[in-house]
Every structure is written in C-alpha cells, then in structure tokens.
C-alpha cells in the first residue's frame, strides 16, 4: 500500500506565500512522477503548474513541494498531490487526502 500525506495548507492573506509538502511512503519501487492538482468549490479538479506556482522534488525523501507565491483569493481550493508509482504488480496512481488553502483578508 502507498500513502501520500500532504501538509502546509492554511489561511493566508492575498499576496502571501505558502509551501505545501507531499510525502509518499509504502511499498514503492520507484516514483515515476509527482504533481499537484487543486479543486475549488463547484469546479473540476485542475492541474497546478507554472507561473506563481513552483514545484520541486526531493527524491531521497520521496517528497514533492509546491511553492505558491503572490496568492490570490481565486487560488482558494483543496490542493491534492498525485503520484505515479511502480509497486508490486505494476504501475499505479495514488492521490493524497488534500489540504485546504484559503486566501482571504
């Protein structure tokens, strides 16, 4: 079994920054890719990448980070990480439980 644990969400004022973390653990042979998505109320889940959002990875810790800068109220959403991993039996995708980010004054 593979677990993805996200952390770092919370309330931030417009213009502020947050850094999210997602650590993968379990019976993982290799991590092929890790990324971030978000879902705002009433909207579809969307990929988070580029611009004000910087993704980095620490392969030794099986962890992916999302640095979010110059945050806006419209960035308010639940942020999820996703991992494409190779496990016993083949390749599979896993999602984290999500972490709430609220941008408000």
């Amino acid at each position: 079994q593979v677990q993805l644990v996200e952390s770092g969400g919370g309330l931030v004022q417009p213009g502020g920054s947050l850094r999210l973390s997602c650590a993968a653990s379990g019976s993982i042979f290799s991590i092929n890719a890790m990324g971030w998505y978000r879902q705002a109320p009433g909207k579809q889940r969307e990929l988070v990448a580029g611009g004000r959002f910087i993704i980095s990875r620490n392969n030794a810790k099986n962890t992916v980070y999302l640095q979010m800068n110059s945050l806006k109220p419209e960035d308010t959403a639940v942020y999820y990480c996703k991992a494409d991993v190779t496990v016993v039996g083949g390749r599979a995708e896993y999602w984290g439980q999500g972490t709430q980010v609220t941008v408000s004054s």
Side-chain angles (χ1 to χ4, degrees):
Q1 187 68 308
V2 175
Q3 297 83 38
L4 300 180
V5 179
E6 296 138 341
S7 60
L11 174 65
V12 62
Q13 291 187 343
S17 298
L18 273 179
R19 187 191 194 212
L20 306 183
S21 301
C22 173
S25 63
S27 302
I28 300 172
F29 286 153
S30 64
I31 297 178
N32 306 304
M34 295 183 80
W36 290 93
Y37 291 74
R38 69 183 184 185
Q39 187 166 20
K43 294 188 177 181
Q44 291 188 336
R45 193 172 295 189
E46 62 179 6
L47 178 68
V48 177
R52 298 177 289 113
F53 299 93
I54 301 170
I55 296 174
S56 61
R57 192 168 147 184
N58 184 326
N59 291 328
K61 295 184 177 181
N62 285 347
T63 299
V64 64
Y65 305 96
L66 177 64
Q67 178 68 42
M68 304 185 291
N69 302 316
S70 301
L71 284 163
K72 305 174 182 179
E74 51 263 42
D75 294 319
T76 295
V78 178
Y79 285 71
Y80 299 89
C81 71
K82 186 178 80 168
D84 177 342
V85 302
T86 299
V87 298
V88 174
R91 196 161 171 169
E93 289 184 347
Y94 292 87
W95 290 88
Q97 80 285 357
T99 185
Q100 177 70 46
V101 172
T102 302
V103 184
S104 175
S105 56

